[in-house]
Structures are given as C-alpha cells and as structure tokens.
Amino acid sequence: MKPSINIALAGNPNAGKTTLFNRLTGARRHVGNYPGVTVEKKEGIFTHNDQDIRVTDLPGTYSLTAYSVEELVARDFIVNEQPDVVVDIVDASNLERNLYLSCQFLELGVPMVIALNMVDVAESRGIEINAGKLSQLLGVPVVPIVARSGKGLDELFDVVIETAKQEKSAQPVLLRYGFDLDQTIRKMIPLIEDNMLLTDQYPSRWIALKFLEDDEQILEKARQKNDAVTQLLLQYCETVTAHLQQTMDVYPEAVIADHRYGYIKSILHQGVVSEKFVGDRLYTSDKIDKIVTHRLLGPLIMAAILYGLYTFTFTYSTTLVDSLASIFAVLSNSIDGMLPDGPLKSMIISGAIDGVGGVLGFVPIIMFMFFGIAVLEDSGYLARVAFMMDRIFHFFGLHGSSVMPFIVSGGIAGGCAVPGVMATRTLRSPKERIATLLTVPFMNCGAKLPVLTLLIGAFFSAHQARYMFLATVAAWLVALISAKFLRMTVLRGESTPFVMELPPYRFPTIRGLVIHTWERTWQYIKKAGTVILGISILLWAMMTYPGLPKEQTVDFEQQRQEVMANSGDIQDSATTPSPGPELTQKQQAALMLINNQEAQAALKNSIAGRIGIALESVSRFAGFDWRTNIALVGGFAAKEVIVSTLGTAYSLGDVDPINSPTLKDRLASDPNWNPVVALAALAFIMFYAPCFVTIVCIAREAGSWKWAFFSMGFNTVFAFLLATAIYQIGMALGLGG
Ligand code: GDP
Ligand code: MG
C-alpha cells in the first residue's frame, strides 16, 4: 500500500467545499472537531486509483490574514500540518472575488491545485473560462469540476496526486505592491532573513507582508522570537503607513488588497474569461481600461500622453532654467570679486559652482518631469502602460515583470537604474531577470536628463519635446533589441508567462503629487550637493594639476608683457607715447586670448587632459575631442558629472565672467561641436557603460561581477559603434554644418 497523501480543501464560503468533501468521503467519513478551536474542521479518507487520500475540509475564508478565527484556523492548518496539496475550491461564477484567496496561497508558496467549481452555474450565465490559460498564468494546475454532480473529479485527483508527488517544492509568487510598499518590503526582507525571524515557518516576503497588514498573530509570534527586530520592522511599517496616509490617504492593507485585485484583474483580462463575462460589477476602471488598454487605441493614447508630458515640461520650465542659470552667474561673479586669484577661487568657481550649478540648473525640468510622472503613477495609468508593454516585451524575450524595472529606470524619463535593477527581483526566471537588469540602464535616467537637455537645447532647440520623445523611443528600441540579442545568444532559454497587476484608477491628490514630486526632486538636489560636488571637485583637480611647466608659464608671461609694452604702438602713438595704467580694448582682447591659450595649454597638460588626449585617437572616429572625453570618463562616476565636467572644461581660464556665455552657448559656438557631433554624443551618453553605482548593483543582483563587467564592456562598445556610425554618416552627408 502506498503511503497516503494529505490534502486540504480550502476556499471561500459557499464555494462548494463541503459538497465536494461529502462526495469524496461519503462512505467512510470521519467527523472530528479539533480541540481548542470552535470552528469545525472535518477530516476523512478516500481512495483514488489505489491511492489513499486523507482530506481535511477547512473553514471557508476570503483571506489568509488573521482577522477572523476561520482565517486563523485555515492558515495555521496549512502552515503547521503542511498538507501535500491544498485544493483551492474556486467558484467559477464568482471568479474575481474567489481568486483573491488563491492569490494569497500563491504568495504563501504552498503546493496547490485549483478546482474550478460550479462551471455549470457559470455556463448558464454565459461565462466561459479558459482553464488552460488560467493555469498557465497562475502557474498552478486548474481543473474545472461540478462538485454536485461529480463531473471532473477524476481529472482533479489525477492532477492532485501528480502534484503531491512532485519533487520540486512550490515557490512563493511575488506580487508588486507599488513603489512605496515594495521599497519597504525590500528593506524588511534582509532583516527578517538575517535574524531568521519565523523563516522556518513562513517565506520572508510573506512575513514582511503580514507586518504591513498588521497581522496580530504573526506580530505576536515575532515579538516572542525577537522583540528588537520586530520593533525595527514595525518602525519601517509605521514610516510607510504614515507616508501612504499623507500621500494617498490609504492604509497599507488597502494598497495590498488593491494590488492583489489588480493582479487578478490582469489575469482575467488576458483571455481567461470569454467576452460575455461582465464581472461582479462593471467598474468605471474597467470601462476606462477597455479604451486605454485597447490594442490599437492604447498605444496611440500612450504616445500622445508621453509627448504631452515632454511638451508640458519644456514649455513651462525654460524660463525657470534660464533664471536659475543667471543666479549662478551672479554667484560666480560675486565670488570672483571677493576672492584673490588662485587655486581656491578656481576650485570654488570652476569646480564647485560650475559643476554643481550645472546640475542644479536642471532642477526645474526634473521637477516638471517628476510631477508629470507622479500624475501618471498616482492615477494608476503607469500600470496600464506596463500592461500594454507586456505584449511587446514577450516578443523580445523579456517578461511582463520587466516593464516596471524599465519604467523605474527612466522608461518615461527621469528614473534611476539602481532601483530599476533591484526591481528585477520580481522576475522568477534567472535568464529573463539578467536580460532585464542588463538592459534597464539603457533608459533615460534622471542623471542623463540634464545632458540630453543640454545638448538638445544647444543644437536642436527648435524641437525640444520632439527630440526628447525620440530619445525615449530610441532608448526603448535599443533596450529591447539588446534584450532580444542577449536572449538569442548568452541568455538563451524559454520564456515564462506573465501577469501584471492593474490597480484601480484613482484621482491623484494634490498633496500626494506634491510630496512625490518633491521627494524625487530632493533626492536629485541632495545628490548634486554631495556626490556630484565631490566628484566635480576631484575632476576639477584632475583638470587643474599638475599645471603648466615653468618655461611655458614664463613664455605666456612674456607674451603678456609684450602686449603691455606695445601698448603705445597699438594705440595712437601720437597722443600717448608711454604705457599708462589704463589698457585699451585691443590690449584687453589680446591679453584675454593669451590667458585663454594658457588655460587651454594647462588643461591639456593636466592629468585629465592627458587622459582625454590619449583617448582622442579612438574617440575622433565618433567626433569627440579631448575635452568631451574628459567629461565622458567623468560620467562613469555619475552621469550628471558629464554636464558639470563640460562646464568646467569649457570655463577654465575664462577671464571675463561678466560676459561669460552659458555652457549651452559655448558648445553651440565651439568649432569642435556641431549638430552631428551632438547627436553622436547623445547616442554615446545614452548607451555607454552604466554609472558606477549601477554597476555595483548589477554585480550584486546578478550574483557575479561577470555580468557587471559584461555590462560595462558591451554597452560601451555598442554605444561607441553607434556614435561612430552617426558621426561618420552625418559628416559624409554634410550635415555637420
Ligand atoms: P462551502 O461553504 O464551501 O462548504 O459550500 P457548500 O458545499 O456548502 O456549497 C454551497 C452551495 O453550492 C450548496 O447549495 C451546493 O449545493 C452548491 N454547489 C456546490 N457545488 C456546486 C456545483 O458544482 N454546481 C452547482 N450548481 N451547485 C453547487
Ligand atoms: Mg462548508
């Protein structure tokens, strides 16, 4: 006799558990009340294909959070007794609501089979359910049955026995709960795992969720196990709860529930339920979704919204950007007047102010962009974008869960690849995950924005929104094509089905928008004031030292003396024969030229200059001069640094700060720059090696430095080839102006 297997029947009240239980065990039924709890659980044994099966009928529940005794009993049984298979009875005529519980079993990671009950009722109401599709999307077997007549029970228990015998244990399914909660959960998990807080009983992510859902039982158990860690975890929960309260006036429980329903909704949207289905109710959200995620209309609406966002950003931020630039100019001037010439002044003006100012000058654009994105995100539209992109992503060998990491990394503009790379944790297939985390750095993150804006503003100022839109499309194309390439070569393998969550639409609150916009803008400002300031000063030093050798300094000094001495000749010799203290305009111009040449010579001789010049032998194929090279090397530390370094490289030796042109104008009028060079530089900057922090993050998430180095090499080579192609073709066509 084979050893018997244990199964538990779970499901919503009235889903048909008892009917099924009685059918199965009718002949030799053992009814027993469990001691200690009042809620009835029944146990019985039956045989299917010579296999003894012990079955427990659990109390009906809607959820697995310990809010009621039924829920607690059902959950404890499953966690403590660990049945071989949980048979989840789902009422097919009420699919959406019933799947809410299934969703929680998936998150708990228990081995399960869904019995799709009452298909007769569903059919009579014109509801047709594609069980195969549902099973594929959920990743668990789904068997249609009619418990009352016994239809489908043979198939059901064939599958149950098969599942029970599977060696591989079920993995918890990871749902996303929105940016705020996901971030908190990510912080909580290592704390739970490192302290092994209840991890012998539950998955760590599930424990984090229960903390957020304020589950008394889990909290109590955790407190007994390790009070200090529990307090720390609760603090995380309090912080995020306060934040959600402030921004959206909701509690974490509600957000979690919304996302679970979103997950279910998106499954039902993917051809699981036939058209005749109208759901429990036809929500306004569903009506909007019919249009917004329509196969043809959807992408058009999406493109229009993105284009609108860029137009809005550039139209309303220009004046602010210009006034900020003049504020920094005034600041430079006053410091110029206050300090004596020397390294300190040069460091403050060329290193700190030009560097950080260059980055801070873009705050208005960043702020407008973030505001727009906050509207899209808080309203729930961003999730629809992800939903639509799903279809496209699959074709390129990526997964539906790759979409959010792309958007987080700057898929619309202004994200960051670091959280983007971390967000790939929701992907279960390692190959799809690595393909995703290698391609998210191609997005236009917040640090690339100032560079893009600078170059677009300098060379294509008439069509800023259009070029920004094109840059976005280009970023996606390159990312998707690279992903396809990776999935066809080094990361070859099957793709897994995808499911996305569709939260309901909400009206964003002004308060929420303001807070979200400000939070992200502040992050940007903080980075400019700390990391970027440090790197700017370091680069300034590299661009300043070791300075000119003595004989050259003497040489330039001599030239200056000559200009001064010759003043008589230059000026009208008849009126003022001797050199006076007042210099003529021509003299001033001549002196400025000499000073500039000296500064340029010094820059060339500096550490950074030498690196830049050494790289010129390669970079000239793409049209980059040595000063641009310095900026591009600096950009590896952080992409914002490109702007600040260009600022420093082009302003060093500027002797006339009163009339000093902006960096934008300097580039526009520099002989080494033209629209073709600008386009090549744009392409290179968008696609070359990710910044240092992202690289570290890729190494950590991919589990090896191999992929981090691969990313640096692959991206840089690709970006360089692309930039070279643009430059060579553009110049050959005579577009260089
Ligand atoms: P429980 O609360 O999950 O134990 O659900 P019950 O087993 O008590 O069933 C609730 C109701 O649904 C009862 O009236 C059953 O007769 C009915 N029922 C259960 N399964 C089916 C089915 O497959 N088809 C139909 N038409 N009715 C069913
Ligand atoms: Mg019952």
Side-chain angles (χ1 to χ4, degrees):
M1 194 71 203
K2 299 175 212 167
S4 67
I5 58 174
N6 294 311
I7 69 167
L9 299 183
N12 287 11
N14 288 319
K17 288 181 306 301
T18 306
T19 311
L20 179 63
F21 181 88
N22 288 345
R23 247 205 118 68
L24 295 172
T25 59
R28 30 187 170 145
R29 165 164 125 192
H30 303 262
V31 180
N33 273 335
Y34 285 74
V37 280
T38 49
V39 183
E40 189 195 36
K41 267 188 307 186
K42 284 173 292 176
E43 216 185 25
I45 297 184
F46 70 99
T47 310
H48 177 79
N49 288 350
D50 281 343
Q51 170 69 62
D52 275 352
I53 300 178
R54 299 177 138 271
V55 50
T56 308
D57 184 20
L58 296 178
T61 61
Y62 294 107
S63 156
L64 279 188
T65 305
Y67 294 139
S68 70
V69 187
E70 288 85 357
E71 291 171 346
L72 205 56
V73 169
R75 184 171 93 189
D76 278 349
F77 181 84
I78 286 164
V79 171
N80 300 336
E81 312 287 320
Q82 301 198 337
D84 298 305
V85 180
V86 173
V87 178
D88 178 21
I89 321 288
V90 165
D91 175 356
S93 64
N94 226 330
L95 198 53
E96 187 165 336
R97 174 137 46 90
N98 275 246
L99 284 177
Y100 188 75
L101 179 68
S102 321
C103 179
Q104 297 181 59
F105 282 125
L106 289 172
E107 288 186 284
L108 190 53
V110 294
M112 75 173 213
V113 171
I114 289 181
L116 194 58
N117 192 28
M118 309 214 201
V119 282
D120 56 332
V121 182
E123 254 164 52
S124 72
R125 291 192 204 158
I127 303 169
E128 247 176 69
I129 296 164
N130 183 340
K133 185 92 192 173
L134 183 60
S135 158
Q136 185 200 356
L137 292 173
L138 290 174
V140 294
V142 177
V143 184
I145 61 164
V146 180
R148 208 149 63 174
S149 68
K151 197 173 141 200
L153 293 191
D154 274 347
E155 290 88 329
L156 176 65
F157 286 97
D158 286 348
V159 173
V160 166
I161 291 170
E162 207 179 294
T163 306
K165 290 189 172 149
Q166 250 159 29
E167 298 281 308
K168 214 172 60 177
S169 62
Q171 284 295 313
V173 165
L174 307 181
L175 295 196
R176 292 176 45 87
Y177 296 101
F179 185 77
D180 294 322
L181 288 184
D182 282 350
Q183 209 180 26
T184 307
I185 292 170
R186 266 204 295 277
K187 280 193 259 176
M188 291 170 79
I189 287 176
L191 207 58
I192 293 169
E193 284 177 353
D194 295 347
N195 294 291
M196 296 195 295
L197 189 71
L198 308 178
T199 45
D200 50 331
Q201 295 177 57
Y202 313 100
S204 53
R205 190 181 160 85
W206 190 85
I207 299 172
L209 271 177
K210 292 302 130 179
F211 266 79
L212 287 166
E213 286 178 306
D214 200 18
D215 185 304
E216 270 310 320
Q217 189 207 24
I218 296 292
L219 288 182
E220 194 45 48
K221 278 189 184 179
R223 267 189 213 110
Q224 280 168 14
K225 191 102 187 200
N226 189 336
D227 195 48
V229 175
T230 304
Q231 292 310 325
L232 213 57
L233 288 169
L234 284 173
Q235 262 169 27
Y236 281 135
C237 297
E238 272 165 33
T239 312
V240 74
T241 305
H243 178 86
L244 288 176
Q245 275 285 299
Q246 253 186 348
T247 53
M248 309 211 267
D249 196 21
V250 287
Y251 282 97
E253 294 98 297
V255 177
I256 291 171
D258 270 1
H259 279 82
R260 283 192 186 129
Y261 275 117
Y263 170 82
I264 294 162
K265 224 182 261 259
S266 75
I267 288 178
L268 300 183
H269 264 277
Q270 294 182 57
V272 166
V273 179
S274 77
E275 279 302 308
K276 278 175 271 177
F277 174 67
V278 284
D280 292 337
R281 273 161 288 162
L282 193 59
Y283 295 101
T284 325
S285 273
D286 295 325
K287 285 190 204 153
I288 300 175
D289 276 339
K290 272 214 156 41
I291 300 165
V292 168
T293 64
H294 186 267
R295 248 163 219 285
L296 295 173
L297 274 178
L300 287 179
I301 293 174
M302 181 167 81
I305 288 179
L306 289 193
Y307 193 71
L309 171 66
Y310 299 146
T311 311
F312 160 79
T313 301
F314 287 107
T315 312
Y316 293 101
S317 61
T318 10
T319 19
L320 280 169
V321 171
D322 290 345
S323 28
L324 261 183
S326 35
I327 291 176
F328 283 111
V330 170
L331 192 65
S332 285
N333 288 339
S334 48
I335 289 179
D336 190 47
M338 275 167 3
L339 292 175
D341 282 346
L344 181 67
K345 180 161 139 182
S346 166
M347 185 189 87
I348 292 179
I349 293 181
S350 292
I353 297 183
D354 279 352
V356 172
V359 175
L360 286 186
F362 290 96
V363 164
I365 294 186
I366 302 279
M367 220 162 75
F368 274 75
M369 201 74 99
F370 283 157
F371 180 80
I373 291 174
V375 173
L376 298 186
E377 186 169 10
D378 290 4
S379 65
Y381 181 71
L382 218 49
R384 271 72 190 179
V385 171
F387 181 74
M388 280 185 283
M389 298 305 288
D390 266 355
R391 303 170 193 152
I392 302 168
F393 264 53
H394 219 51
F395 176 78
F396 288 96
L398 291 173
H399 187 268
S401 311
S402 312
V403 181
M404 275 331 266
F406 271 73
I407 291 177
V408 171
S409 302
I412 291 177
C416 177
V418 172
V421 167
M422 291 200 285
T424 61
R425 284 182 198 170
T426 44
L427 283 144
R428 275 208 275 166
S429 142
K431 283 181 178 168
E432 283 167 343
R433 184 160 174 234
I434 290 177
T436 309
L437 61 83
L438 286 179
T439 46
V440 291
F442 286 134
M443 296 294 109
N444 292 322
C445 69
K448 288 184 208 169
L449 267 193
V451 198
L452 300 192
T453 319
L454 171 76
L455 293 176
I456 291 172
F459 295 97
F460 314 102
S461 54
H463 308 290
Q464 299 204 51
R466 195 177 304 168
Y467 272 86
M468 195 60 225
F469 184 71
L470 280 179
T472 307
V473 173
W476 282 88
L477 273 182
V478 167
L480 290 177
I481 293 170
S482 315
K484 182 84 183 170
F485 172 75
L486 292 171
R487 293 283 278 135
M488 280 162 54
T489 55
V490 283
L491 292 169
R492 210 167 353 185
E494 278 297 296
S495 53
T496 49
F498 55 83
V499 188
M500 275 289 316
E501 299 96 55
L502 286 184
Y505 285 102
R506 282 176 204 277
F507 256 107
T509 62
I510 296 293
R511 212 187 145 82
L513 292 179
V514 169
I515 292 176
H516 277 147
T517 307
W518 177 244
E519 270 177 354
R520 285 171 206 179
T521 311
W522 178 238
Q523 289 252 307
Y524 179 85
I525 295 175
K526 227 169 45 186
K527 198 173 162 199
T530 52
V531 184
I532 308 294
L533 178 66
I535 299 171
S536 288
I537 290 180
L538 180 74
L539 280 163
W540 164 84
M542 286 175 68
M543 286 192 267
T544 306
Y545 297 103
L548 278 180
K550 189 116 190 150
E551 58 281 12
Q552 280 198 51
T553 324
V554 173
D555 196 39
F556 278 111
E557 193 49 41
Q558 247 171 22
Q559 288 184 33
R560 265 191 291 264
Q561 293 300 335
E562 269 168 43
V563 171
M564 309 274 261
N566 288 343
S567 69
D569 302 339
I570 294 171
Q571 226 185 8
D572 190 357
S573 51
T575 48
T576 28
S578 60
E582 294 292 304
L583 294 177
T584 65
Q585 273 199 347
K586 277 187 185 168
Q587 272 179 309
Q588 280 185 0
L591 280 180
M592 219 158 96
L593 191 70
I594 296 168
N595 286 349
N596 240 324
Q597 283 170 343
E598 183 178 10
Q600 288 299 315
L603 180 59
K604 272 193 175 157
N605 194 47
S606 68
I607 303 171
R610 290 180 207 185
I611 296 174
I613 290 168
L615 287 174
E616 231 178 21
S617 59
V618 182
S619 74
R620 68 193 160 87
F621 293 110
F624 305 151
D625 72 347
W626 58 279
R627 281 184 293 198
T628 311
N629 290 346
I630 299 176
L632 295 177
V633 172
F636 176 63
K639 297 276 152 96
E640 293 97 330
V641 170
I642 297 174
V643 171
S644 57
T645 310
L646 280 174
T648 312
Y650 281 85
S651 83
L652 268 178
D654 205 1
V655 284
D656 183 16
I658 313 273
N659 297 315
S660 87
T662 63
L663 176 58
K664 192 169 96 177
D665 298 332
R666 277 201 182 107
L667 290 180
S669 60
D670 193 280
N672 279 329
W673 281 84
N674 60 46
V676 174
V677 175
L679 211 55
L682 276 175
F684 188 79
I685 292 164
M686 277 170 64
F687 303 127
Y688 83 120
C691 70
F692 181 68
V693 185
T694 306
I695 290 289
V696 173
C697 207
I698 288 178
R700 202 175 50 207
E701 293 297 320
S704 100
W705 276 91
K706 182 182 80 177
W707 289 115
F709 288 124
F710 176 85
S711 165
M712 272 195 281
F714 178 81
N715 294 14
T716 308
V717 169
F718 169 76
F720 183 70
L721 292 179
L722 184 66
T724 305
I726 291 174
Y727 179 70
Q728 298 297 344
I729 294 172
M731 294 311 271
L733 293 177
L735 301 175

